[in-house]
Amino acid sequence: RMISHNMTWISYPSKNFAFISPEDIEAFIASQNIISRLMHCYIAFFVPIGLIAGICILIIFIKNYLRVKAIENLDLLFLHFTISNIIMIFFSFTVIPRPDYIKATHFTCKILSFFFNLSYFSSQHLFILVLLIVLLKRFPPRTALSKATQSPILAVGCVLTYAFCLSLCESVLLGTDNYHLETDCQLDPLFAWPEYEIIKFTFGFAIPSFLQIICFTVLFAKAAPARSPPLQLHIRTYVAVVPISIIMFICRLFYSIMILRRTTFKLQKSTGTPENELVMNIAEIVLFCESCTSLVFVLCLHEPCK
């Protein structure tokens, strides 16, 4: 049985930090300057590059479809992966007020969080489908897997349904109180119950990363049939998946660890320090940088886009 939590006590350290020495004041100002500069670098550099890459990918796939009236299974998955990451970039505009936070009611914040999580979960799991197709291109698929890869629209529909259910579950874990009250809003709200971060770590990072590791282990370790192309040629054909996997794993690992760390503070009835808040904000920006970088890799390395 899920236990309701009273999270009205929690607040950001920067909002109620007690300065007890000049060094504390200097450290606080320094952390505020760092997050502000990182935000400006992200908005000025990563956002334009990510959006331009995403728009170019969409144009290329649409033109290819209009020309041949068909789209490859892998291209369809990369198309949905691109859309999810573009949506993530638009949600990243919520970091513009940093080091402060956008002001919104609890209800509005929960709506933002729901759609952000929908993009977050769907992009992660769509990429697993990409890896699965790359894997099955090298190894003869079993009957069930063959049908699944031959119907990518069905597979995408299942992923989106799964992501929707996870996002809905996360929304429930934001609580049902204080709908009308204004709050400092983050896409992963501070007032979320501790279970929110645990589920996000488990289903948004741990399980998908485990599946990615399995896919790469099978790809590199298992002997392919004689008629399959050499491994080096196969990797070169689908070269985009390697850097995307690496950057996604590193960025989401950092972000997920910071999410779990925030949970430990909640369980200890602590708000942490301004330095903890700074690192959490950095992790959030790093996550959005991953979306931008992934789109650049798709544009530059995926064969139809090249």
Side-chain angles (χ1 to χ4, degrees):
R1 180 178 177 269
M2 187 164 38
I3 300 174
S4 178
H5 299 276
N6 178 13
M7 302 302 295
T8 55
W9 59 270
I10 199 165
S11 63
Y12 288 100
S14 60
K15 301 293 184 180
N16 62 359
F17 186 65
F19 301 108
I20 57 177
S21 70
E23 289 77 15
D24 289 334
I25 298 175
E26 291 176 4
F28 176 77
I29 293 173
S31 66
Q32 297 278 289
N33 286 336
I34 290 171
I35 190 61
S36 179
R37 289 173 183 174
L38 284 174
M39 180 274 295
H40 283 102
C41 289
Y42 168 72
I43 294 295
F45 180 72
F46 282 93
V47 168
I49 290 177
L51 288 178
I52 290 171
I55 291 170
C56 288
I57 294 167
L58 294 180
I59 292 173
I60 290 168
F61 282 148
I62 291 171
K63 288 180 68 175
N64 288 347
Y65 175 78
L66 293 176
R67 187 175 69 251
V68 300
K69 299 301 181 184
I71 186 169
E72 291 286 334
N73 293 352
L74 193 62
D75 292 346
L76 181 63
L77 294 180
F78 268 126
L79 175 62
H80 285 84
F81 178 74
T82 298
I83 293 171
S84 293
N85 279 289
I86 290 175
I87 294 173
M88 286 271 287
I89 293 173
F90 281 123
F91 276 115
S92 73
F93 289 148
T94 57
V95 304
I96 290 177
R98 300 295 157 82
D100 203 353
Y101 301 88
I102 60 173
K103 302 293 184 181
T105 62
H106 279 68
F107 178 76
T108 303
C109 196
K110 291 169 185 176
I111 295 295
L112 285 174
S113 178
F114 171 81
F115 286 104
F116 164 68
N117 282 323
L118 185 61
S119 301
Y120 179 87
F121 288 126
S122 61
S123 64
Q124 180 81 64
H125 292 87
L126 281 168
F127 190 70
I128 292 174
L129 286 182
V130 170
L131 287 178
L132 183 62
I133 285 188
V134 171
L135 188 66
L136 294 179
K137 291 282 187 179
R138 181 163 173 79
F139 300 100
R142 307 296 181 189
T143 304
L145 288 176
S146 178
K147 290 181 179 179
T149 55
Q150 287 173 5
S151 179
I153 294 179
L154 178 61
V156 168
C158 290
V159 165
L160 293 179
T161 302
Y162 179 61
F164 178 86
C165 293
L166 284 176
S167 302
L168 197 60
C169 179
E170 292 286 66
S171 295
V172 171
L173 295 175
L174 293 177
T176 56
D177 302 325
N178 306 319
Y179 273 101
H180 61 288
L181 297 181
E182 192 175 71
T183 185
D184 295 307
C185 182
Q186 246 181 320
L187 292 174
D188 285 309
L190 184 67
F191 57 81
W193 298 354
E195 291 89 346
Y196 174 97
E197 284 96 352
I198 294 171
I199 287 180
K200 185 148 191 174
F201 174 83
T202 303
F203 293 96
F205 175 76
I207 294 176
S209 297
F210 178 70
L211 294 175
Q212 287 185 36
I213 291 171
I214 289 178
C215 287
F216 276 108
T217 301
V218 173
L219 184 63
F220 286 105
K222 185 177 179 180
R227 63 179 180 275
S228 298
L231 178 60
Q232 190 174 8
L233 178 60
H234 187 75
I235 293 297
R236 197 179 303 129
T237 304
Y238 304 105
V239 67
V241 302
V242 177
I244 292 175
S245 293
I246 294 172
I247 194 71
M248 182 178 285
F249 178 81
I250 293 173
C251 294
R252 298 200 178 204
L253 173 63
F254 178 41
Y255 182 73
S256 298
I257 289 174
M258 292 304 106
I259 282 284
L260 280 186
R261 191 179 182 190
R262 194 171 76 173
T263 305
T264 61
F265 289 129
K266 292 180 181 180
L267 295 176
Q268 296 167 1
K269 294 294 182 178
S270 169
T271 58
T273 66
E275 288 75 18
N276 301 138
E277 183 181 354
L278 166 66
V279 177
M280 184 66 230
N281 280 320
I282 291 174
E284 189 177 30
I285 291 177
V286 167
L287 175 70
F288 293 133
C289 289
E290 176 257 306
S291 294
C292 300
T293 307
S294 294
L295 292 178
V296 173
F297 283 140
V298 173
L299 179 64
C300 297
L301 300 177
H302 186 49
E303 190 61 37
C305 298
K306 288 195 296 183

